[in-house]
Amino acid sequence: MSGQATGPGASGPVIVLVGPMGVGKSTVGRVLAERLGTGFRDTDTDIVESAGKPISEIFIDEGEPHFRELERQAVRAAVAEHRGVLALGGGAILDDSTRALLADLPVAFLEMGVAEAVKRTGLDAPRPLLAVNPRQRWRELMEQRRPLYTEVARAVVSTEGRTPEDVADAVLDALELKDA
């Protein structure tokens, strides 16, 4: 048994995308879902919809620990319910139980350097973890998270200088789903 079942009765998402904020998980995820003829789900969107407010407000009003609990619950629900392409928030992999849930799933880590992060997000968007000294803070977050992203990933795909379509191709190749 290959463990990469994607047909009816398959367990879990067909692809899970992880990586830092602004790397393009949602954009690439939609391209992948369209190519695979399946649905797309983003756990950050799930959190915003269930909380009724933006993530930045959850951080301000209830704090990061509360947000991380909502995130853990959202990931658990999405992995259990969703059979398409799933994008996780940048910090979802910080939780041990989340990493354990991802252990047997086809996970792709989308990565980029700080220069690309600046170009894509300007590092001035309302991202609560980057409020003070965003470039330095982004580097610190990546130093902390990169080992966790690589721990859960079956494939690591750079998004640097690539279109979302090119990244989607690379993900399908790396996960050996090109002919899916």
Side-chain angles (χ1 to χ4, degrees):
M1 197 151 135
S2 73
Q4 292 192 14
T6 58
S11 179
V14 66
I15 297 174
V16 179
L17 299 175
V18 299
M21 58 192 90
V23 76
K25 296 180 299 283
S26 295
T27 302
V28 171
R30 286 184 188 94
V31 172
L32 286 165
E34 183 177 319
R35 289 203 184 156
L36 295 171
T38 190
F40 171 74
R41 185 166 174 176
D42 182 324
T43 57
D44 279 352
T45 301
D46 291 351
I47 294 166
V48 168
E49 288 176 0
S50 69
K53 59 182 157 183
I55 290 171
S56 57
E57 287 183 24
I58 298 170
F59 266 76
I60 292 165
D61 297 345
E62 285 94 21
E64 185 176 359
H66 178 73
F67 170 76
R68 294 297 173 205
E69 176 58 25
L70 295 176
E71 184 173 54
R72 188 177 62 73
Q73 293 171 13
V75 171
R76 189 173 56 229
V79 167
E81 301 163 4
H82 188 65
R83 299 297 171 256
V85 177
L86 177 63
L88 304 188
I93 46 77
L94 295 172
D95 183 78
D96 293 340
S97 66
T98 294
R99 291 195 311 278
L101 270 179
L102 299 176
D104 294 322
L105 297 176
V107 177
F109 164 30
L110 303 185
E111 69 172 353
M112 66 180 172
V114 69
E116 186 76 5
V118 169
K119 190 164 67 176
R120 289 183 187 208
T121 67
L123 294 183
D124 60 1
R127 300 186 187 273
L129 291 178
L130 300 178
V132 178
N133 195 351
R135 286 175 180 82
Q136 178 60 33
R137 185 65 182 129
W138 192 89
R139 284 186 189 99
E140 291 167 0
L141 286 172
M142 282 308 297
E143 284 175 21
Q144 173 192 22
R145 295 176 180 182
R146 184 176 308 280
L148 302 176
Y149 290 138
T150 56
E151 173 188 325
V152 299
R154 246 184 234 175
V156 178
V157 176
S158 174
T159 63
E160 300 260 346
R162 290 174 149 171
T163 67
E165 293 74 17
D166 291 341
V167 175
D169 283 341
V171 168
L172 291 172
D173 284 341
L175 293 175
E176 299 177 350
L177 294 171
K178 193 69 168 176
D179 299 319

